[in-house]
Amino acid sequence: MRAESVPEPTLRRLPSYYHYLVRLREKGQEMISAAQIGEDLGVHHTQVRKDLAFTGSQGRPKVGHHVADLVASIETFLNWNNATDAFLVGAGHLGTALLGYAGFERAGVKIVAAFDTRPSIIGKKIRGVSVLPLEKLPDLARRMHISIGILTVPAEAAQDVADLMIASGIQAIWNFAPTVPDVPNGVIVENVALYSSLGVLSHKLAVHRRAALAASSGPKPA
Amino acid sequence: MRAESVPEPTLRRLPSYYHYLVRLREKGQEMISAAQIGEDLGVHHTQVRKDLAFTGSQGRPKVGHHVADLVASIETFLNWNNATDAFLVGAGHLGTALLGYAGFERAGVKIVAAFDTRPSIIGKKIRGVSVLPLEKLPDLARRMHISIGILTVPAEAAQDVADLMIASGIQAIWNFAPTVPDVPNGVIVENVALYSSLGVLSHKLAVHRRAALAASSGPKPA
DNA sequence: AATATATCAGGAACTCTGTCTCGATAAAAA
DNA sequence: TTTTTATCGAGACAGAGTTCCTGATATATT
Ligand SMILES: NC(=O)c1ccc[n+]([C@@H]2O[C@H](COP(=O)([O-])OP(=O)(O)OC[C@H]3O[C@@H](n4cnc5c(N)ncnc54)[C@H](O)[C@@H]3O)[C@@H](O)[C@H]2O)c1
Ligand SMILES: NC(=O)c1ccc[n+]([C@@H]2O[C@H](COP(=O)([O-])OP(=O)(O)OC[C@H]3O[C@@H](n4cnc5c(N)ncnc54)[C@H](O)[C@@H]3O)[C@@H](O)[C@H]2O)c1
């Protein structure tokens, strides 16, 4: 019960620290301060400390944190040290990009099979992963104890596929379709909603331009 | 100055409403209540009302909001009614998926050209968009007044490409690389950080399993 | 050995976001 | 026409999440 009380923003920032720290480690740097992490990643330094505290890692005054320890702490905390097997449904454009992307395996997810309904790709391998007919999903998911499903089908098919995944014992869905699937209590859904960052981008850009325009055509006094 | 005070969570939810409403409109539904939107999208109904209020749309008691009006209000508010031209750099796996994805054009962004350094794809067309050598970006970006850059290159190259984009007059960067580019003040950056949702997913799944395990091996009394 | 400094850690204060409550209003029903 | 009901909108409240502040501590400097 206690462990669930980790702020979601913290869970979203940790992967970002993780990547940063891995690159640092590759460069041979041994120690790092929270202040430096914060500056490079655009996060307040006290925030960085609080986030890292959740992973159980301790820093030392004057020298900071041990990079390798931090990496290990985050891995353990997020359960990224032994990747969980996942199925991907919808081996289209986006699905193909995700299949075989090395980054995910490091982030706790290993795509072991893909499923689709399109006859022309069934039986083929995409970036080393076999594409199987959707009908085989329920049986295989149960036998292989798959708990993560990645959803990259068109919006119209998303709900049906989500239902099928859940009926097959899948507990967590990583959804890339622009709809929110309706799932029973207890099933975890992470909606990626790529276009939602376009909401922020477009609006900020519009405001930015409006401000630039206002500034050029005579700034208003306070 | 006033218009900038829109909560970012609101900006992230609006696209989700938008997609939902467009589908509703296609099905022929004319009116919709905030309560219904909230239920279908997993957002509190008062939250939906507050978000929609930012767009300027007004609802009517007992009947709700006019679907078509809402769609138009959100489009206008997010500046999605006339798509802004964008350049994409890094026509690899992810870049290819993004190129030619119809959804973005509706979301205010039109990819008009792609750039890469890989000779084997330069000069080709990917899903209707030409891939050009990176060297041509600065000149073209200036001449075409491009303000949005989409970054889909490996992490190592991200900073250099971001610098080049900014030097070429690009004001907003949609970054898919797992690093946070360092940009001068005034430049807008939206980091997608796909793996960050894996932080949430992995951790929730781990907690979920721990809870299930604890429940099966004897629940603790309060 | 004493002092200075960089950094950490934990609690307090503040800000932002989301939820709850209430009165108003338009349509439908009696 | 009056009453009922579904819905809206605005303000009050509550809960997170972030930033600020203070004190502690390990290393470096004098
Ligand atoms: N391509 C992008 O850049 C992008 C960006 C954001 C979101 N998305 C979303 O991701 C999803 C996939 O996009 P895409 O561009 O890869 O589309 P796509 O058409 O290229 O691929 C969809 C795949 O799903 C398969 N499919 C369709 N119905 C299915 C079903 N019932 N069961 C199993 N497989 C089925 C199709 O055969 C196809 O292979 C869509 O929901 C889209 O909105 C895509
Ligand atoms: N593929 C995915 O599913 C996925 C998921 C999350 C994040 N990402 C991130 O997106 C980025 C791209 O991933 P990808 O899988 O498409 O990689 P990729 O290797 O398939 O594509 C990268 C492309 O960028 C080009 N490139 C390299 N250096 C360049 C430079 N300096 N200028 C211009 N172009 C350059 C390459 O030629 C290649 O075409 C990476 O940062 C990756 O971490 C990818």
Side-chain angles (χ1 to χ4, degrees):
Chain A
M1 221 63 173
R2 241 36 51 250
E4 297 175 56
S5 63
V6 182
E8 223 183 89
T10 295
L11 293 177
R12 291 196 188 280
R13 282 187 296 262
L14 284 173
S16 166
Y17 302 154
Y18 180 78
H19 257 267
Y20 171 86
L21 293 164
V22 166
R23 299 197 74 199
L24 226 57
R25 188 180 57 181
E26 278 164 9
K27 280 191 216 145
Q29 188 169 336
E30 292 206 359
M31 306 303 288
I32 182 76
S33 74
Q36 192 60 50
I37 299 178
E39 198 186 319
D40 291 343
L41 262 40
V43 179
H44 199 102
H45 59 101
T46 59
Q47 189 69 70
V48 174
R49 286 200 195 94
K50 299 211 168 183
D51 288 340
L52 296 180
F54 279 105
T55 70
S57 174
Q58 289 237 338
R60 287 191 349 192
K62 190 80 181 187
V63 288
H65 295 255
H66 200 83
V67 175
D69 285 359
L70 270 187
V71 169
S73 297
I74 298 177
E75 267 178 358
T76 307
F77 183 74
L78 294 177
N79 211 33
W80 280 10
N81 26 17
N82 41 4
T84 308
D85 287 351
F87 278 179
L88 179 144
V89 179
H93 288 103
L94 187 58
T96 299
L98 299 180
L99 282 169
Y101 175 56
F104 297 145
E105 199 148 341
R106 188 171 252 182
V109 170
K110 185 181 179 188
I111 305 178
V112 292
F115 297 83
D116 209 300
T117 48
R118 203 153 31 109
S120 59
I121 55 163
I122 289 175
K124 301 227 167 107
K125 278 200 170 199
I126 296 182
R127 305 181 77 183
V129 179
S130 299
V131 181
L132 308 173
L134 188 63
E135 300 82 58
K136 291 206 173 169
L137 187 144
D139 187 47
L140 277 173
R142 291 223 167 274
R143 282 200 286 165
M144 297 173 73
H145 297 101
I146 301 295
S147 43
I148 297 179
I150 304 175
L151 202 55
T152 49
V153 298
E156 304 79 58
Q159 184 65 56
D160 286 349
V161 172
D163 291 345
L164 184 74
M165 284 178 169
I166 294 163
S168 313
I170 283 175
Q171 291 151 31
I173 296 178
W174 198 20
N175 174 39
F176 285 80
T179 50
V180 180
D182 188 24
V183 303
N185 226 292
V187 175
I188 299 158
V189 180
E190 258 296 303
N191 297 301
V192 174
L194 278 186
Y195 53 82
S196 94
S197 55
L198 281 183
V200 184
L201 198 77
S202 304
H203 187 265
K204 281 190 182 167
L205 193 58
V207 169
H208 182 80
R209 282 178 172 161
R210 224 173 291 143
L213 206 68
S216 70
S217 68
K220 234 196 322 259
Chain B
M1 220 61 175
R2 233 75 8 267
E4 296 177 57
S5 64
V6 182
E8 222 182 91
T10 294
L11 293 177
R12 288 194 189 284
R13 281 187 297 261
L14 284 173
S16 166
Y17 302 154
Y18 179 78
H19 256 267
Y20 170 86
L21 292 164
V22 166
R23 299 196 74 202
L24 226 55
R25 188 179 58 179
E26 278 165 9
K27 282 191 214 145
Q29 188 169 335
E30 292 206 359
M31 307 302 287
I32 183 75
S33 73
Q36 190 62 49
I37 298 178
E39 198 187 317
D40 291 343
L41 262 38
V43 179
H44 198 101
H45 59 102
T46 59
Q47 189 68 69
V48 175
R49 285 200 197 96
K50 296 206 172 181
D51 289 340
L52 296 181
F54 279 104
T55 69
S57 174
Q58 289 237 338
R60 289 197 339 196
K62 189 80 179 189
V63 289
H65 296 254
H66 200 83
V67 175
D69 285 359
L70 271 186
V71 169
S73 298
I74 297 178
E75 266 178 359
T76 307
F77 183 74
L78 294 177
N79 212 32
W80 279 11
N81 26 16
N82 41 3
T84 308
D85 286 352
F87 278 179
L88 180 144
V89 180
H93 288 103
L94 187 59
T96 300
L98 299 181
L99 283 170
Y101 175 57
F104 297 145
E105 198 148 340
R106 186 172 254 180
V109 171
K110 185 182 179 186
I111 306 178
V112 292
F115 297 83
D116 208 300
T117 48
R118 202 153 31 109
S120 59
I121 53 163
I122 289 174
K124 300 227 167 108
K125 278 201 169 198
I126 296 182
R127 303 182 78 185
V129 179
S130 299
V131 181
L132 308 172
L134 189 62
E135 299 82 58
K136 293 208 172 167
L137 186 143
D139 187 46
L140 277 174
R142 291 223 168 273
R143 282 200 285 161
M144 297 173 73
H145 297 99
I146 300 294
S147 43
I148 297 180
I150 304 176
L151 202 55
T152 49
V153 299
E156 303 80 57
Q159 184 65 56
D160 287 348
V161 173
D163 291 345
L164 184 72
M165 284 177 170
I166 294 162
S168 313
I170 283 175
Q171 292 153 29
I173 296 177
W174 197 20
N175 173 39
F176 285 81
T179 50
V180 179
D182 188 23
V183 302
N185 226 291
V187 175
I188 299 159
V189 179
E190 256 297 302
N191 296 301
V192 173
L194 278 186
Y195 53 82
S196 94
S197 56
L198 281 183
V200 184
L201 198 76
S202 303
H203 187 265
K204 280 191 183 168
L205 194 58
V207 169
H208 183 80
R209 281 179 173 158
R210 226 174 289 143
L213 207 66
S216 70
S217 69
K220 240 199 313 263

